[in-house]
Amino acid sequence: MAWNWNDYIDPTKQGLLALAKQYADAGMMARAKAAFERAGGTWTNEIHRQFKTEAAATPRYGGDIAFKWADYGVRTQAQLNQIIEWAKQGKFNLIAKEINSYGGTKKWNDQLHTKLAAEYHGKQEADTDPDTEGWQGTRTTEFKRVEPDVDPVFKPNTTIQNQDNTTTTVDATTTGGEETPWRSQFVGAITPGQEGSWSEGQARNDAQKWRNLHMDAAMKKYGLSRNDKNQIKRSSNAAITNKQWSDFLKKRNSIAARFEKMIKKPS
C-alpha cells in the first residue's frame, strides 16, 4: 500500500508537511520532527524512517524553501549572492549583520536562520581538527540537498509608444548603467500575505520609486504634466482625446491601487 502522509497529519497543513520534508532532506531531523508535529502528526520511529527513506530517494525532497527576500531588505543580486555564499559556509553571524543593516520590514530571526541552514548548509559534522587544512571529520561537507536555482527573475524591459511618436523604454534591470534589480520584487501579483510589506524603511522608498516611475511613464505616454499644485490635469494636453484620457485614468488608478497594497497593511 502506498504511503499517504495525509493519514498521519492534518490534511490542511500541507505547508508544514513540506517544511518537514525539506528539513529531512537537509538531514535536520529534529527540525523535521517539530514541523511534522505542528502539522498535527505524531512522531514515531516509523515516521522517522519514512522521512529518511523518501529524502534519500527524492532530489529536492519537499521542494524549494520559500524566502521573501524583499521583506528583509535585500535589493540586489550581489547582496543575495553574498548571503547564499555565506550560508553555504555556515557563516550565519555575517548574514545576520548584513540583513539587519538593510532596513527591511523584517530582521534576522531564528526561522530565517533555520531555513537558510536547511536550504544551503544542511546538517554538518564538526571538523575534528579545524587547525589542519582540509576536512578532518568522518564525512564530507557537501550539501545534503541538491543546490537550488537562487537567481531572482527580473522583469524584461518595456517599450512605451508616446503620443508624439517617440518611445520610452522602461528598463527593468539598469538605471544609468547601474544594475537595479530592486524592480524584481514588484513582478507579479501582490498576494494577500505580501500586502503592506513595503510600508517601512528602504522597502517604502522602493515602493515610492516604483510608483513614480510608472506614473511618470504613463503621463509621458499621454503627453500630460503636473500643475504647480502637483496635480495631473487633462488640460495640460489640449490634444488628448476622451478615450486617451479614459485610458490614462485607468492606468493611473491601477498604479495607485497596487501602490496602496504595497504600503498599507491589512487591518
Side-chain angles (χ1 to χ4, degrees):
M1 181 182 295
W3 187 275
N4 185 355
W5 283 109
N6 287 340
D7 293 339
Y8 298 88
I9 64 165
D10 178 346
T12 66
K13 302 292 181 63
Q14 295 299 315
L16 286 169
L17 174 61
L19 187 60
K21 291 179 178 180
Q22 291 156 1
Y23 285 145
D25 195 32
M28 302 167 70
M29 299 308 294
R31 295 288 184 180
K33 176 178 182 289
F36 182 76
E37 290 176 341
R38 286 170 58 204
T42 299
W43 191 264
T44 64
N45 289 338
E46 181 186 26
I47 294 295
H48 184 109
R49 288 192 297 270
Q50 187 67 25
F51 270 118
K52 291 192 71 173
T53 299
E54 291 187 5
T58 312
R60 303 292 300 160
Y61 183 48
D64 293 343
I65 296 179
F67 296 96
K68 293 185 178 180
W69 290 115
D71 291 354
Y72 293 94
V74 177
R75 296 290 176 267
T76 70
Q77 182 66 53
Q79 289 173 335
L80 179 56
N81 289 345
Q82 182 63 81
I83 289 170
I84 300 319
E85 186 61 31
W86 281 336
K88 292 175 182 178
Q89 299 171 25
K91 297 180 178 179
F92 298 107
N93 58 326
L94 295 180
I95 300 174
K97 183 178 179 181
E98 186 78 4
I99 283 181
N100 288 340
S101 72
Y102 290 159
T105 57
K106 292 183 178 179
K107 299 297 183 183
W108 177 257
N109 55 67
D110 289 342
Q111 184 181 44
L112 178 60
H113 184 170
T114 304
K115 286 186 175 182
L116 273 174
E119 189 75 317
Y120 298 108
H121 192 60
K123 181 181 179 181
Q124 303 285 334
E125 300 294 339
D127 193 332
T128 57
D129 186 2
D131 295 327
T132 300
E133 184 177 356
W135 177 248
Q136 307 300 316
T138 57
R139 60 179 292 274
T140 68
T141 54
E142 293 296 319
F143 310 138
K144 295 184 74 67
R145 301 202 83 198
V146 177
E147 186 175 350
D149 177 9
V150 300
D151 293 340
V153 177
F154 300 117
K155 189 175 182 179
N157 294 350
T158 301
T159 301
I160 299 173
Q161 183 71 39
N162 300 316
Q163 190 178 14
D164 59 1
N165 292 323
T166 63
T167 59
T168 298
T169 299
V170 180
D171 190 336
T173 59
T174 63
T175 298
E178 296 295 323
E179 188 180 31
T180 55
W182 62 270
R183 298 170 191 263
S184 65
Q185 67 188 290
F186 304 119
V187 177
I190 297 176
T191 65
Q194 290 177 306
E195 290 184 15
S197 296
W198 293 268
S199 62
E200 301 173 2
Q202 184 59 46
R204 178 66 170 77
N205 294 336
D206 285 350
Q208 186 66 53
K209 184 176 179 180
W210 176 91
R211 182 188 186 281
N212 293 344
L213 176 74
H214 286 268
M215 195 66 76
D216 289 348
M219 289 168 58
K220 184 171 183 179
K221 178 179 180 179
Y222 294 100
L224 297 165
S225 60
R226 298 180 184 273
N227 61 18
D228 55 3
K229 295 182 179 179
N230 204 36
Q231 298 170 325
I232 305 172
K233 293 291 187 179
R234 177 174 179 171
S235 57
S236 63
N237 178 8
I240 194 170
T241 66
N242 288 338
K243 183 180 185 307
Q244 289 172 335
W245 176 246
S246 177
D247 289 345
F248 167 74
L249 292 179
K250 290 178 182 178
K251 184 64 175 178
R252 181 201 65 181
N253 293 342
S254 175
I255 294 169
R258 185 175 173 86
F259 178 69
E260 185 174 10
K261 283 186 177 181
M262 293 176 189
I263 65 171
K264 187 175 180 180
K265 295 181 178 180
S267 56

PDB file of all heavy atoms in Angstrom, residues 151-182:
ATOM      1  N   ASP A 151      18.669  32.506  -8.436  1.00  0.00           N
ATOM      2  CA  ASP A 151      18.610  33.801  -9.108  1.00  0.00           C
ATOM      3  C   ASP A 151      17.184  34.333  -9.191  1.00  0.00           C
ATOM      4  O   ASP A 151      16.265  33.616  -9.599  1.00  0.00           O
ATOM      5  CB  ASP A 151      19.167  33.699 -10.532  1.00  0.00           C
ATOM      6  CG  ASP A 151      20.654  33.421 -10.535  1.00  0.00           C
ATOM      7  OD1 ASP A 151      21.278  33.683  -9.493  1.00  0.00           O
ATOM      8  OD2 ASP A 151      21.172  32.958 -11.555  1.00  0.00           O
ATOM      9  N   PRO A 152      16.956  35.587  -8.791  1.00  0.00           N
ATOM     10  CA  PRO A 152      15.624  36.178  -8.955  1.00  0.00           C
ATOM     11  C   PRO A 152      15.275  36.299 -10.438  1.00  0.00           C
ATOM     12  O   PRO A 152      16.156  36.335 -11.294  1.00  0.00           O
ATOM     13  CB  PRO A 152      15.769  37.572  -8.331  1.00  0.00           C
ATOM     14  CG  PRO A 152      17.003  37.514  -7.508  1.00  0.00           C
ATOM     15  CD  PRO A 152      17.897  36.524  -8.177  1.00  0.00           C
ATOM     16  N   VAL A 153      14.002  36.349 -10.743  1.00  0.00           N
ATOM     17  CA  VAL A 153      13.548  36.548 -12.120  1.00  0.00           C
ATOM     18  C   VAL A 153      13.268  38.022 -12.320  1.00  0.00           C
ATOM     19  O   VAL A 153      12.462  38.619 -11.613  1.00  0.00           O
ATOM     20  CB  VAL A 153      12.272  35.737 -12.406  1.00  0.00           C
ATOM     21  CG1 VAL A 153      11.781  36.006 -13.820  1.00  0.00           C
ATOM     22  CG2 VAL A 153      12.545  34.257 -12.215  1.00  0.00           C
ATOM     23  N   PHE A 154      13.954  38.630 -13.260  1.00  0.00           N
ATOM     24  CA  PHE A 154      13.778  40.053 -13.493  1.00  0.00           C
ATOM     25  C   PHE A 154      12.761  40.322 -14.605  1.00  0.00           C
ATOM     26  O   PHE A 154      12.631  39.540 -15.537  1.00  0.00           O
ATOM     27  CB  PHE A 154      15.114  40.697 -13.876  1.00  0.00           C
ATOM     28  CG  PHE A 154      16.164  40.554 -12.834  1.00  0.00           C
ATOM     29  CD1 PHE A 154      17.314  39.854 -13.091  1.00  0.00           C
ATOM     30  CD2 PHE A 154      15.986  41.106 -11.585  1.00  0.00           C
ATOM     31  CE1 PHE A 154      18.292  39.699 -12.120  1.00  0.00           C
ATOM     32  CE2 PHE A 154      16.948  40.973 -10.608  1.00  0.00           C
ATOM     33  CZ  PHE A 154      18.101  40.257 -10.879  1.00  0.00           C
ATOM     34  N   LYS A 155      12.049  41.408 -14.471  1.00  0.00           N
ATOM     35  CA  LYS A 155      11.053  41.788 -15.468  1.00  0.00           C
ATOM     36  C   LYS A 155      11.761  42.358 -16.700  1.00  0.00           C
ATOM     37  O   LYS A 155      12.642  43.194 -16.572  1.00  0.00           O
ATOM     38  CB  LYS A 155      10.109  42.836 -14.881  1.00  0.00           C
ATOM     39  CG  LYS A 155       8.911  43.150 -15.760  1.00  0.00           C
ATOM     40  CD  LYS A 155       7.972  44.110 -15.046  1.00  0.00           C
ATOM     41  CE  LYS A 155       6.742  44.401 -15.904  1.00  0.00           C
ATOM     42  NZ  LYS A 155       5.813  45.319 -15.221  1.00  0.00           N
ATOM     43  N   PRO A 156      11.401  41.904 -17.892  1.00  0.00           N
ATOM     44  CA  PRO A 156      12.062  42.433 -19.089  1.00  0.00           C
ATOM     45  C   PRO A 156      11.690  43.883 -19.339  1.00  0.00           C
ATOM     46  O   PRO A 156      10.694  44.394 -18.829  1.00  0.00           O
ATOM     47  CB  PRO A 156      11.524  41.529 -20.206  1.00  0.00           C
ATOM     48  CG  PRO A 156      10.212  41.039 -19.688  1.00  0.00           C
ATOM     49  CD  PRO A 156      10.384  40.891 -18.206  1.00  0.00           C
ATOM     50  N   ASN A 157      12.518  44.545 -20.142  1.00  0.00           N
ATOM     51  CA  ASN A 157      12.252  45.944 -20.485  1.00  0.00           C
ATOM     52  C   ASN A 157      10.917  46.091 -21.211  1.00  0.00           C
ATOM     53  O   ASN A 157      10.475  45.191 -21.926  1.00  0.00           O
ATOM     54  CB  ASN A 157      13.356  46.498 -21.389  1.00  0.00           C
ATOM     55  CG  ASN A 157      14.691  46.575 -20.678  1.00  0.00           C
ATOM     56  OD1 ASN A 157      14.761  46.394 -19.466  1.00  0.00           O
ATOM     57  ND2 ASN A 157      15.740  46.839 -21.427  1.00  0.00           N
ATOM     58  N   THR A 158      10.282  47.229 -21.019  1.00  0.00           N
ATOM     59  CA  THR A 158       9.019  47.530 -21.685  1.00  0.00           C
ATOM     60  C   THR A 158       9.178  48.808 -22.497  1.00  0.00           C
ATOM     61  O   THR A 158       9.654  49.826 -21.983  1.00  0.00           O
ATOM     62  CB  THR A 158       7.882  47.723 -20.663  1.00  0.00           C
ATOM     63  OG1 THR A 158       7.757  46.527 -19.886  1.00  0.00           O
ATOM     64  CG2 THR A 158       6.567  48.026 -21.363  1.00  0.00           C
ATOM     65  N   THR A 159       8.792  48.767 -23.770  1.00  0.00           N
ATOM     66  CA  THR A 159       8.852  49.951 -24.624  1.00  0.00           C
ATOM     67  C   THR A 159       7.463  50.546 -24.764  1.00  0.00           C
ATOM     68  O   THR A 159       6.520  49.867 -25.154  1.00  0.00           O
ATOM     69  CB  THR A 159       9.418  49.608 -26.017  1.00  0.00           C
ATOM     70  OG1 THR A 159      10.726  49.060 -25.869  1.00  0.00           O
ATOM     71  CG2 THR A 159       9.483  50.855 -26.891  1.00  0.00           C
ATOM     72  N   ILE A 160       7.337  51.835 -24.454  1.00  0.00           N
ATOM     73  CA  ILE A 160       6.053  52.527 -24.496  1.00  0.00           C
ATOM     74  C   ILE A 160       6.047  53.515 -25.663  1.00  0.00           C
ATOM     75  O   ILE A 160       6.995  54.278 -25.854  1.00  0.00           O
ATOM     76  CB  ILE A 160       5.804  53.298 -23.173  1.00  0.00           C
ATOM     77  CG1 ILE A 160       5.761  52.311 -21.996  1.00  0.00           C
ATOM     78  CG2 ILE A 160       4.516  54.098 -23.241  1.00  0.00           C
ATOM     79  CD1 ILE A 160       5.679  52.984 -20.649  1.00  0.00           C
ATOM     80  N   GLN A 161       4.984  53.498 -26.459  1.00  0.00           N
ATOM     81  CA  GLN A 161       4.825  54.433 -27.562  1.00  0.00           C
ATOM     82  C   GLN A 161       4.193  55.711 -27.039  1.00  0.00           C
ATOM     83  O   GLN A 161       3.078  55.701 -26.514  1.00  0.00           O
ATOM     84  CB  GLN A 161       3.934  53.824 -28.655  1.00  0.00           C
ATOM     85  CG  GLN A 161       3.769  54.699 -29.889  1.00  0.00           C
ATOM     86  CD  GLN A 161       5.039  54.765 -30.713  1.00  0.00           C
ATOM     87  OE1 GLN A 161       5.724  53.759 -30.860  1.00  0.00           O
ATOM     88  NE2 GLN A 161       5.357  55.934 -31.260  1.00  0.00           N
ATOM     89  N   ASN A 162       4.892  56.835 -27.129  1.00  0.00           N
ATOM     90  CA  ASN A 162       4.379  58.101 -26.645  1.00  0.00           C
ATOM     91  C   ASN A 162       3.500  58.775 -27.689  1.00  0.00           C
ATOM     92  O   ASN A 162       3.540  58.432 -28.881  1.00  0.00           O
ATOM     93  CB  ASN A 162       5.544  59.032 -26.270  1.00  0.00           C
ATOM     94  CG  ASN A 162       6.416  58.432 -25.185  1.00  0.00           C
ATOM     95  OD1 ASN A 162       5.907  57.887 -24.213  1.00  0.00           O
ATOM     96  ND2 ASN A 162       7.727  58.522 -25.372  1.00  0.00           N
ATOM     97  N   GLN A 163       2.724  59.756 -27.240  1.00  0.00           N
ATOM     98  CA  GLN A 163       1.792  60.429 -28.136  1.00  0.00           C
ATOM     99  C   GLN A 163       2.502  61.182 -29.261  1.00  0.00           C
ATOM    100  O   GLN A 163       1.978  61.326 -30.364  1.00  0.00           O
ATOM    101  CB  GLN A 163       0.919  61.409 -27.345  1.00  0.00           C
ATOM    102  CG  GLN A 163      -0.242  61.972 -28.157  1.00  0.00           C
ATOM    103  CD  GLN A 163      -1.110  62.888 -27.316  1.00  0.00           C
ATOM    104  OE1 GLN A 163      -0.706  63.298 -26.245  1.00  0.00           O
ATOM    105  NE2 GLN A 163      -2.300  63.191 -27.797  1.00  0.00           N
ATOM    106  N   ASP A 164       3.725  61.664 -28.996  1.00  0.00           N
ATOM    107  CA  ASP A 164       4.460  62.428 -30.020  1.00  0.00           C
ATOM    108  C   ASP A 164       5.268  61.506 -30.944  1.00  0.00           C
ATOM    109  O   ASP A 164       6.197  61.947 -31.619  1.00  0.00           O
ATOM    110  CB  ASP A 164       5.391  63.440 -29.361  1.00  0.00           C
ATOM    111  CG  ASP A 164       6.408  62.779 -28.438  1.00  0.00           C
ATOM    112  OD1 ASP A 164       6.398  61.525 -28.326  1.00  0.00           O
ATOM    113  OD2 ASP A 164       7.208  63.508 -27.817  1.00  0.00           O
ATOM    114  N   ASN A 165       4.921  60.213 -30.943  1.00  0.00           N
ATOM    115  CA  ASN A 165       5.542  59.189 -31.791  1.00  0.00           C
ATOM    116  C   ASN A 165       6.956  58.792 -31.355  1.00  0.00           C
ATOM    117  O   ASN A 165       7.615  58.010 -32.050  1.00  0.00           O
ATOM    118  CB  ASN A 165       5.569  59.619 -33.265  1.00  0.00           C
ATOM    119  CG  ASN A 165       4.168  59.677 -33.849  1.00  0.00           C
ATOM    120  OD1 ASN A 165       3.316  58.847 -33.512  1.00  0.00           O
ATOM    121  ND2 ASN A 165       3.920  60.660 -34.712  1.00  0.00           N
ATOM    122  N   THR A 166       7.428  59.311 -30.234  1.00  0.00           N
ATOM    123  CA  THR A 166       8.687  58.827 -29.673  1.00  0.00           C
ATOM    124  C   THR A 166       8.383  57.623 -28.778  1.00  0.00           C
ATOM    125  O   THR A 166       7.218  57.330 -28.501  1.00  0.00           O
ATOM    126  CB  THR A 166       9.396  59.910 -28.850  1.00  0.00           C
ATOM    127  OG1 THR A 166       8.562  60.268 -27.735  1.00  0.00           O
ATOM    128  CG2 THR A 166       9.662  61.142 -29.697  1.00  0.00           C
ATOM    129  N   THR A 167       9.406  56.935 -28.364  1.00  0.00           N
ATOM    130  CA  THR A 167       9.214  55.790 -27.486  1.00  0.00           C
ATOM    131  C   THR A 167      10.006  55.971 -26.190  1.00  0.00           C
ATOM    132  O   THR A 167      11.030  56.656 -26.177  1.00  0.00           O
ATOM    133  CB  THR A 167       9.652  54.470 -28.154  1.00  0.00           C
ATOM    134  OG1 THR A 167      11.031  54.553 -28.505  1.00  0.00           O
ATOM    135  CG2 THR A 167       8.817  54.187 -29.384  1.00  0.00           C
ATOM    136  N   THR A 168       9.506  55.372 -25.131  1.00  0.00           N
ATOM    137  CA  THR A 168      10.205  55.372 -23.842  1.00  0.00           C
ATOM    138  C   THR A 168      10.428  53.930 -23.434  1.00  0.00           C
ATOM    139  O   THR A 168       9.492  53.132 -23.432  1.00  0.00           O
ATOM    140  CB  THR A 168       9.373  56.075 -22.754  1.00  0.00           C
ATOM    141  OG1 THR A 168       9.174  57.441 -23.133  1.00  0.00           O
ATOM    142  CG2 THR A 168      10.095  56.018 -21.405  1.00  0.00           C
ATOM    143  N   THR A 169      11.670  53.601 -23.097  1.00  0.00           N
ATOM    144  CA  THR A 169      11.993  52.248 -22.644  1.00  0.00           C
ATOM    145  C   THR A 169      12.093  52.243 -21.128  1.00  0.00           C
ATOM    146  O   THR A 169      12.905  52.954 -20.542  1.00  0.00           O
ATOM    147  CB  THR A 169      13.319  51.757 -23.248  1.00  0.00           C
ATOM    148  OG1 THR A 169      13.197  51.718 -24.673  1.00  0.00           O
ATOM    149  CG2 THR A 169      13.653  50.363 -22.743  1.00  0.00           C
ATOM    150  N   VAL A 170      11.217  51.472 -20.499  1.00  0.00           N
ATOM    151  CA  VAL A 170      11.269  51.294 -19.055  1.00  0.00           C
ATOM    152  C   VAL A 170      12.213  50.120 -18.809  1.00  0.00           C
ATOM    153  O   VAL A 170      11.870  48.969 -19.019  1.00  0.00           O
ATOM    154  CB  VAL A 170       9.871  50.999 -18.468  1.00  0.00           C
ATOM    155  CG1 VAL A 170       9.960  50.816 -16.958  1.00  0.00           C
ATOM    156  CG2 VAL A 170       8.919  52.130 -18.808  1.00  0.00           C
ATOM    157  N   ASP A 171      13.442  50.446 -18.405  1.00  0.00           N
ATOM    158  CA  ASP A 171      14.496  49.459 -18.248  1.00  0.00           C
ATOM    159  C   ASP A 171      14.334  48.751 -16.909  1.00  0.00           C
ATOM    160  O   ASP A 171      14.408  49.379 -15.862  1.00  0.00           O
ATOM    161  CB  ASP A 171      15.856  50.160 -18.334  1.00  0.00           C
ATOM    162  CG  ASP A 171      17.013  49.175 -18.416  1.00  0.00           C
ATOM    163  OD1 ASP A 171      16.858  48.027 -17.963  1.00  0.00           O
ATOM    164  OD2 ASP A 171      18.070  49.554 -18.914  1.00  0.00           O
ATOM    165  N   ALA A 172      14.125  47.450 -16.946  1.00  0.00           N
ATOM    166  CA  ALA A 172      13.833  46.710 -15.719  1.00  0.00           C
ATOM    167  C   ALA A 172      15.081  46.283 -14.959  1.00  0.00           C
ATOM    168  O   ALA A 172      14.991  45.773 -13.862  1.00  0.00           O
ATOM    169  CB  ALA A 172      13.011  45.478 -16.063  1.00  0.00           C
ATOM    170  N   THR A 173      16.248  46.493 -15.538  1.00  0.00           N
ATOM    171  CA  THR A 173      17.451  45.990 -14.866  1.00  0.00           C
ATOM    172  C   THR A 173      18.517  47.045 -14.601  1.00  0.00           C
ATOM    173  O   THR A 173      19.394  46.827 -13.777  1.00  0.00           O
ATOM    174  CB  THR A 173      18.106  44.871 -15.686  1.00  0.00           C
ATOM    175  OG1 THR A 173      18.445  45.383 -16.993  1.00  0.00           O
ATOM    176  CG2 THR A 173      17.161  43.698 -15.857  1.00  0.00           C
ATOM    177  N   THR A 174      18.466  48.174 -15.285  1.00  0.00           N
ATOM    178  CA  THR A 174      19.511  49.170 -15.073  1.00  0.00           C
ATOM    179  C   THR A 174      18.943  50.573 -14.976  1.00  0.00           C
ATOM    180  O   THR A 174      17.888  50.886 -15.522  1.00  0.00           O
ATOM    181  CB  THR A 174      20.554  49.169 -16.212  1.00  0.00           C
ATOM    182  OG1 THR A 174      19.902  49.520 -17.440  1.00  0.00           O
ATOM    183  CG2 THR A 174      21.199  47.814 -16.359  1.00  0.00           C
ATOM    184  N   THR A 175      19.660  51.427 -14.274  1.00  0.00           N
ATOM    185  CA  THR A 175      19.378  52.858 -14.225  1.00  0.00           C
ATOM    186  C   THR A 175      20.712  53.568 -14.365  1.00  0.00           C
ATOM    187  O   THR A 175      21.588  53.419 -13.513  1.00  0.00           O
ATOM    188  CB  THR A 175      18.718  53.260 -12.893  1.00  0.00           C
ATOM    189  OG1 THR A 175      17.467  52.580 -12.771  1.00  0.00           O
ATOM    190  CG2 THR A 175      18.457  54.766 -12.853  1.00  0.00           C
ATOM    191  N   GLY A 176      20.876  54.286 -15.443  1.00  0.00           N
ATOM    192  CA  GLY A 176      22.150  54.947 -15.678  1.00  0.00           C
ATOM    193  C   GLY A 176      23.308  53.965 -15.774  1.00  0.00           C
ATOM    194  O   GLY A 176      24.438  54.280 -15.393  1.00  0.00           O
ATOM    195  N   GLY A 177      23.038  52.771 -16.306  1.00  0.00           N
ATOM    196  CA  GLY A 177      24.091  51.786 -16.464  1.00  0.00           C
ATOM    197  C   GLY A 177      24.370  50.959 -15.228  1.00  0.00           C
ATOM    198  O   GLY A 177      25.157  50.024 -15.262  1.00  0.00           O
ATOM    199  N   GLU A 178      23.709  51.273 -14.104  1.00  0.00           N
ATOM    200  CA  GLU A 178      23.928  50.527 -12.872  1.00  0.00           C
ATOM    201  C   GLU A 178      22.802  49.526 -12.659  1.00  0.00           C
ATOM    202  O   GLU A 178      21.634  49.838 -12.891  1.00  0.00           O
ATOM    203  CB  GLU A 178      23.992  51.478 -11.669  1.00  0.00           C
ATOM    204  CG  GLU A 178      25.156  52.451 -11.712  1.00  0.00           C
ATOM    205  CD  GLU A 178      26.503  51.737 -11.611  1.00  0.00           C
ATOM    206  OE1 GLU A 178      26.584  50.749 -10.869  1.00  0.00           O
ATOM    207  OE2 GLU A 178      27.434  52.174 -12.314  1.00  0.00           O
ATOM    208  N   GLU A 179      23.148  48.349 -12.212  1.00  0.00           N
ATOM    209  CA  GLU A 179      22.147  47.306 -12.000  1.00  0.00           C
ATOM    210  C   GLU A 179      21.167  47.713 -10.898  1.00  0.00           C
ATOM    211  O   GLU A 179      21.559  48.167  -9.835  1.00  0.00           O
ATOM    212  CB  GLU A 179      22.834  46.000 -11.603  1.00  0.00           C
ATOM    213  CG  GLU A 179      21.887  44.822 -11.553  1.00  0.00           C
ATOM    214  CD  GLU A 179      22.596  43.536 -11.167  1.00  0.00           C
ATOM    215  OE1 GLU A 179      23.572  43.603 -10.408  1.00  0.00           O
ATOM    216  OE2 GLU A 179      22.148  42.485 -11.643  1.00  0.00           O
ATOM    217  N   THR A 180      19.879  47.576 -11.180  1.00  0.00           N
ATOM    218  CA  THR A 180      18.860  47.919 -10.184  1.00  0.00           C
ATOM    219  C   THR A 180      17.823  46.802 -10.087  1.00  0.00           C
ATOM    220  O   THR A 180      16.654  46.980 -10.419  1.00  0.00           O
ATOM    221  CB  THR A 180      18.147  49.243 -10.555  1.00  0.00           C
ATOM    222  OG1 THR A 180      17.628  49.127 -11.886  1.00  0.00           O
ATOM    223  CG2 THR A 180      19.082  50.422 -10.479  1.00  0.00           C
ATOM    224  N   PRO A 181      18.239  45.619  -9.656  1.00  0.00           N
ATOM    225  CA  PRO A 181      17.287  44.509  -9.590  1.00  0.00           C
ATOM    226  C   PRO A 181      16.258  44.650  -8.480  1.00  0.00           C
ATOM    227  O   PRO A 181      15.492  43.739  -8.241  1.00  0.00           O
ATOM    228  CB  PRO A 181      18.193  43.297  -9.343  1.00  0.00           C
ATOM    229  CG  PRO A 181      19.413  43.860  -8.713  1.00  0.00           C
ATOM    230  CD  PRO A 181      19.594  45.208  -9.324  1.00  0.00           C
ATOM    231  N   TRP A 182      16.245  45.799  -7.779  1.00  0.00           N
ATOM    232  CA  TRP A 182      15.168  46.048  -6.824  1.00  0.00           C
ATOM    233  C   TRP A 182      13.818  45.931  -7.507  1.00  0.00           C
ATOM    234  O   TRP A 182      12.814  45.645  -6.858  1.00  0.00           O
ATOM    235  CB  TRP A 182      15.311  47.426  -6.194  1.00  0.00           C
ATOM    236  CG  TRP A 182      15.226  48.558  -7.166  1.00  0.00           C
ATOM    237  CD1 TRP A 182      16.240  49.136  -7.851  1.00  0.00           C
ATOM    238  CD2 TRP A 182      14.040  49.245  -7.590  1.00  0.00           C
ATOM    239  NE1 TRP A 182      15.769  50.119  -8.672  1.00  0.00           N
ATOM    240  CE2 TRP A 182      14.428  50.219  -8.531  1.00  0.00           C
ATOM    241  CE3 TRP A 182      12.683  49.123  -7.261  1.00  0.00           C
ATOM    242  CZ2 TRP A 182      13.522  51.060  -9.144  1.00  0.00           C
ATOM    243  CZ3 TRP A 182      11.781  49.971  -7.880  1.00  0.00           C
ATOM    244  CH2 TRP A 182      12.199  50.928  -8.808  1.00  0.00           C
TER     245      TRP A 182
END
